[in-house]
Amino acid sequence: MTPQDTIRIFDTTLRDGEQSPGCSMTPQQKVVMARALAELGVDIIETGFPASSESDREAAKLIAREIRTPTLAVLSRCLPADIEASARALEGTANPRLHIFISTSPLHREHKLRMSRQQVLDLAAASVEHARRLVDDVEFSTEDGTRTEEDFLAEVIGAAIAGGAGTINVPDTLGYTTPEEMRGLFQRLIATVPGARDVIFSAHCHDDLGLAVANSLAAIEGGARQVECTVNGIGERAGNCAIEELAMALKVRNAFYDIDTRLDTRLLVPTSQLLSRLTGMQVQRNKAIVGDNAFAHESGIHQHGMLRHRGTYEIMNPSDVGWPDSKLVLGRHSGRAAVGHRLRALGYTLEDAQIDQVFAAFKALCEQQRVVDDDDLEALMQGDLHGQGWRLASMTVSDRGQRASAQVELSAPDGTRVSESALGDGPVDALFAALAAATGVELSLQSYQVHSVGIGRDARGEANLGVRHESAPGRSCDYEGSGTSRDIIEASALAWLDVANRILRTRAPQPVAASA
Ligand code: KIV
Ligand code: ZN
């Protein structure tokens, strides 16, 4: 495959992604993310919009200091001051690109720019020439390009090519276009605009109708050889084309598209998780490729199929995108085959009758909790899932006065009752402090999420905790736990105790019911 035959990935996580609500990053965080993007193998990293903030200027400088291989781009309006600020921000960059844009659609011309077609055309041409005098590699974007009259779009693009732009980006800024339209538009522009075959055409698709990836793929079919993406699809409003989805569509359906990216797709999941950690913006569980459920199977029929041949329910290998393996999630929908398989993986050799027994206990447990993990299975094998551990007997939490207070009564693993109370900065803080005092278990909270399960009067609150626990000086482990209740504070207490009991089980000696 020649370089001409690959899709250049222009990553705009640090610019279009970062400018969206909930995704802002400090310059130092951007450097960490830029390192990961370079490792992932993106061709171009857009680091920011220097004229917009000091923080973007600093990020561009810091990233340029250590990232030498991918091209580093910065964004600029078609304004002399912006272009000069961008060129300054690119000083010292090994492979700099100046990316300039102007709106071309009638709506933007009239209401945003208050300019005529001729004015937009002249400004675009002059700005590309200005940028080219400062930097060799210039990309030109027609903002709201897909809602622009096609003859005018072609005219502006022709002027930008004549002015020296090496990359022409046609954004679907509003995520309005359909794949069919996108394919046709790129085909016609590349076939008719003078000089189009000597430059790279690029697609930049937003996801307002959930079509960003489909439209980017259609642009590729139409001749685009650069796609602008973000990790996890973050970006303005509904976001941009998700890098992980585009890359895997090209890889998995390579026989159809006959073109690929240069990405090391095994780094897609770690890169996605890094971005979530840096921004605090989690991806939905069922997000393609990088969501927790992307390779998880719970239904008995699917698990059975997976155990026979993974191709029955998976079109790609989880390790190709950076997951350790598929997950056969054990829950209410799981069958005996999957439970038996998991027990064997945990080292238990069981007779059929024993599996039946454990499976019955497993089903009963599924009535109380949504997911049964390895710790729970171990506990089932030891017959102590509910016999041991800390149980909540009662609790009161009050948030009146200066500090919140909580009082808990627990039933201890040995059956005795323990009561403790504590103050905290809020009800949950006080509650967790009281639980720590009662159990003597110290947990350092890493994540805490509460959401509702079900709707209307039947809705219940589910709390999920991620904690770090130091089992010995210098030796800490991460645990997760969950709890459900009609009351979210009580769900939080149950989640906390779920974690504490998991820790207790890992400390307890391991009697086994069968040979392990
Ligand atoms: O969506 C868009 O049109 C953009 C351009 C500035 C490239 O982000
Ligand atoms: Zn955009």
Side-chain angles (χ1 to χ4, degrees):
M1 190 177 283
T2 68
Q4 213 59 16
D5 291 322
T6 63
I7 295 300
R8 288 145 187 80
I9 294 292
F10 177 112
D11 183 278
T12 184
T13 306
L14 303 181
R15 197 277 299 170
D16 210 331
E18 199 259 353
Q19 76 193 35
S20 62
C23 294
S24 64
M25 283 176 255
T26 63
Q28 289 71 22
Q29 288 175 320
K30 282 189 169 188
V31 173
V32 173
M33 198 61 211
R35 275 186 211 130
L37 291 169
E39 277 280 291
L40 178 62
V42 309
D43 300 277
I44 303 113
I45 301 175
E46 188 166 47
T47 63
F49 185 179
S52 74
S53 72
E54 177 52 38
S55 167
D56 277 33
R57 288 190 284 278
E58 193 189 338
K61 288 272 171 223
L62 291 178
I63 294 171
R65 250 185 238 164
E66 64 172 280
I67 305 293
R68 311 302 287 176
T69 310
T71 294
L72 299 181
V74 290
L75 186 68
S76 174
R77 288 169 295 186
C78 282
L79 295 174
D82 268 34
I83 294 171
E84 275 149 30
S86 286
R88 278 195 301 279
L90 286 171
E91 277 164 16
T93 303
N95 299 299
R97 174 177 294 186
L98 216 162
H99 177 194
I100 57 176
F101 75 99
I102 190 164
S103 291
T104 49
S105 68
L107 209 99
H108 279 223
R109 286 193 318 258
E110 185 185 338
H111 298 287
K112 191 177 118 173
L113 299 177
R114 294 176 198 274
M115 282 184 175
S116 66
R117 273 166 77 139
Q118 192 59 47
Q119 285 171 312
V120 169
L121 182 65
D122 292 344
L123 187 56
S127 301
V128 172
E129 283 168 22
H130 184 180
R132 267 307 304 266
R133 284 195 293 277
L134 302 171
V135 179
D136 278 345
D137 182 351
V138 170
E139 171 169 337
F140 174 73
S141 285
T142 55
E143 189 183 13
D144 206 12
T146 53
R147 295 196 304 165
T148 300
E149 309 91 323
E150 205 170 310
D151 63 329
F152 181 57
L153 184 66
E155 203 179 352
V156 179
I157 290 174
I161 294 174
T167 305
I168 297 295
N169 183 39
V170 186
D172 185 30
T173 305
L174 275 295
Y176 176 77
T177 307
T178 67
E180 202 59 42
E181 289 167 342
M182 200 70 175
R183 186 182 307 109
L185 178 65
F186 274 77
Q187 274 166 347
R188 289 189 299 276
L189 289 173
I190 294 170
T192 59
V193 175
R197 293 190 186 281
D198 302 325
V199 300
I200 299 286
F201 268 70
S202 166
H204 174 113
C205 300
H206 280 269
D207 208 29
D208 300 65
L209 292 175
L211 291 173
V213 175
N215 281 336
S216 304
L217 291 167
I220 291 173
E221 288 180 72
R225 288 296 172 265
Q226 172 178 294
V227 174
E228 305 202 353
C229 307
T230 59
V231 174
N232 297 341
I234 65 168
E236 288 284 0
R237 306 179 310 281
N240 289 62
C241 171
I243 194 168
E244 56 279 357
E245 296 177 19
L246 183 99
M248 290 316 291
L250 291 175
K251 202 179 183 82
V252 172
R253 299 304 311 276
N254 196 255
F256 179 78
Y257 290 108
D258 197 22
I259 196 154
D260 207 346
T261 68
R262 295 190 190 96
L263 299 187
D264 179 351
T265 61
R266 292 165 307 173
L267 297 177
L268 288 170
V269 169
T271 312
S272 153
Q273 292 177 342
L274 173 68
L275 181 68
S276 294
R277 281 199 302 280
L278 292 175
T279 59
M281 179 135 151
Q282 302 299 320
V283 295
Q284 73 209 48
R285 291 187 76 92
N286 64 333
K287 166 94 174 57
I289 320 293
V290 296
D292 273 355
N293 284 2
F295 295 89
H297 311 265
E298 183 175 332
S299 98
I301 295 173
H302 287 212
Q303 292 183 341
H304 198 227
M306 281 291 294
L307 292 173
R308 293 266 166 93
H309 189 293
R310 67 185 323 147
T312 50
Y313 290 103
E314 278 181 358
I315 57 166
M316 58 196 129
N317 203 320
S319 59
D320 286 348
V321 301
W323 287 112
D325 205 349
S326 312
K327 291 179 225 159
L328 296 193
V329 178
L330 296 181
R332 195 158 55 85
H333 304 104
S334 305
R336 189 179 174 284
V339 174
H341 178 263
R342 192 67 213 144
L343 286 167
R344 278 192 295 282
L346 290 173
Y348 293 100
T349 312
L350 301 178
E351 302 292 329
D352 275 2
Q354 286 174 303
I355 297 189
D356 288 344
Q357 229 181 335
V358 182
F359 187 59
F362 164 84
K363 281 288 187 193
L365 181 58
C366 291
E367 295 304 317
Q368 295 158 44
Q369 63 188 60
R370 289 205 297 168
V371 173
V372 174
D373 65 13
D374 288 352
D375 282 351
D376 296 324
L377 279 185
E378 295 275 11
L380 278 182
M381 290 305 295
Q382 294 163 36
D384 72 354
L385 194 70
H386 290 299
Q388 289 186 10
W390 294 93
R391 305 280 147 226
L392 184 66
S394 67
M395 55 175 267
T396 23
V397 176
S398 149
D399 196 12
R400 287 190 292 269
Q402 295 238 300
R403 300 199 75 196
S405 64
Q407 200 263 328
V408 295
E409 185 178 356
L410 304 181
S411 144
D414 62 5
T416 58
R417 291 273 168 152
V418 183
S419 293
E420 279 294 345
S421 53
L423 297 174
D425 289 336
V428 174
D429 190 42
L431 174 67
F432 288 176
L435 290 167
T439 58
V441 177
E442 287 299 329
L443 303 180
S444 143
L445 202 60
Q446 304 293 306
S447 64
Y448 169 55
Q449 285 167 346
V450 179
H451 61 267
S452 109
V453 183
I455 46 170
R457 290 174 63 84
D458 292 334
R460 295 165 72 80
E462 181 178 285
N464 292 291
L465 288 190
V467 306
R468 184 153 296 164
H469 172 69
E470 199 173 73
S471 53
R475 239 190 53 212
S476 45
C477 268
D478 291 340
Y479 294 85
E480 288 177 2
S482 63
T484 29
S485 163
R486 286 196 187 284
D487 171 36
I488 55 168
I489 303 287
E490 184 174 288
S492 307
L494 294 175
W496 197 100
L497 289 173
D498 185 24
V499 176
N501 288 332
R502 284 172 198 277
I503 293 171
L504 202 69
R505 288 205 288 272
T506 58
R507 280 193 208 143
Q510 305 280 308
V512 283
S515 53

